[in-house]
Every structure is written in C-alpha cells, then in structure tokens.
C-alpha cells in the first residue's frame, strides 16, 4: 500500500466512525501536532491519543491529497458547530503506518472551502513548474 492510500484509509475510517480501522493506520508512537503558523500549539502523542482526537471530528471530508517528496499533504474540511473548519496536514508515513502529522487549521465558510481547493491545486501546479 502506498503512502497516499494509507492516509486516505485514515480519512475513510474517521468519516465512517470506524475506530478499529483508524487505529490500524497509525504507528504506536505516532504524534499529531496542531500548528499555529510557526509553532506547535498542541500535540497528541501515541496512537491512542491521536485516534481519540480524530474520532471527535464530524463530517470530515478529504478535499485534496498529494505526495510531496517524503510527505503526504492533504487538505480536508470538517464540522465545527455551525461552521466548517479547513485544514492542511502533512503526514509522514513509514512502513505503511502514519508516524507523524502536522496540521494547520483555519475556520472558513463553505464557499471558502471550494476556493481553498482551487488554491491548493494552483499552488501544486506552480510548485511542479518550478521543480522542472
């Protein structure tokens, strides 16, 4: 299973409320870091803590995903009360398991979610052109 498939399996597990499938995605010592621009705001350490944190999300939807070097980068949206949150997360996958994730989130409206998807695609296209 490639790195993107591992991460996608995690999103499907959260969306389905499948704790067992989500647990199988993360390494025992996994860490989930919530970032605030340049600093870590909060960390969930260990598979059990990461799974517990992620199981709290409602209406999680994977918006975009790509492999960038050794990282899987994903943009996703989720319910936060009456509002939608949008986050970009960078995953480190080793031996078929997520070992680390760094997530930056922003509250946005539904129309901004669609705009973020477009910006994500444009940014990736520009990055690819610069790499050539």
């Amino acid at each position: 299973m490639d790195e993107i498939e591992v991460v996608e399996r995690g999103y499907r597990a959260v969306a389905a409320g499948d704790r067992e499938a989500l647990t199988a995605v993360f390494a025992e010592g996994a860490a989930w870091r919530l970032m605030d621009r340049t600093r870590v705001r909060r960390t969930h350490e260990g598979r059990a803590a990461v799974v517990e944190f992620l199981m709290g999300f409602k209406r999680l939807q994977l918006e975009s995903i790509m492999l960038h070097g050794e990282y899987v980068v994903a943009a996703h949206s989720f319910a936060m009360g009456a509002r939608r949150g949008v986050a970009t997360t960078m995953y480190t996958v080793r031996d078929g398991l997520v070992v680390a994730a760094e997530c930056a989130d922003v509250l946005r409206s539904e129309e901004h979610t669609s705009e973020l998807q477009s910006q994500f695609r444009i940014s990736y296209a520009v990055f690819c052109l610069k790499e050539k």
Side-chain angles (χ1 to χ4, degrees), residues 51-99:
V51 168
E52 189 62 34
F53 169 68
L54 294 176
M55 290 304 294
F57 284 92
K58 306 295 180 217
R59 295 188 355 238
L60 181 71
Q61 181 176 338
L62 180 61
E63 303 290 347
S64 298
I65 192 166
M66 67 180 175
L67 187 62
H68 176 59
E70 65 183 81
Y71 301 104
V72 175
V73 181
H76 53 268
S77 61
F78 50 92
M80 294 197 63
R83 300 180 72 190
R84 295 287 288 168
V86 176
T88 301
T89 303
M90 186 170 65
Y91 295 89
T92 303
V93 179
R94 290 198 187 103
D95 300 322
L97 297 171
V98 174
V99 296

Side-chain angles (χ1 to χ4, degrees), residues 19-34:
R19 183 179 299 271
E20 185 177 329
L22 183 60
T23 300
V25 169
F26 287 93
E28 181 61 38
W32 188 282
R33 295 176 193 89
L34 296 171

Side-chain angles (χ1 to χ4, degrees), residues 1-3 6 11-15 23 25 36 47 57-58 63 66 69 79 81 93 99 104-105 116 124 126:
M1 180 175 305
D2 75 13
E3 291 90 344
V6 170
Y11 280 97
R12 286 192 303 271
V14 171
T23 300
V25 169
D36 184 10
R47 179 174 32 214
F57 284 92
K58 306 295 180 217
E63 303 290 347
M66 67 180 175
V93 179
V99 296
D105 63 318
L116 178 68
Y124 182 64
V126 169

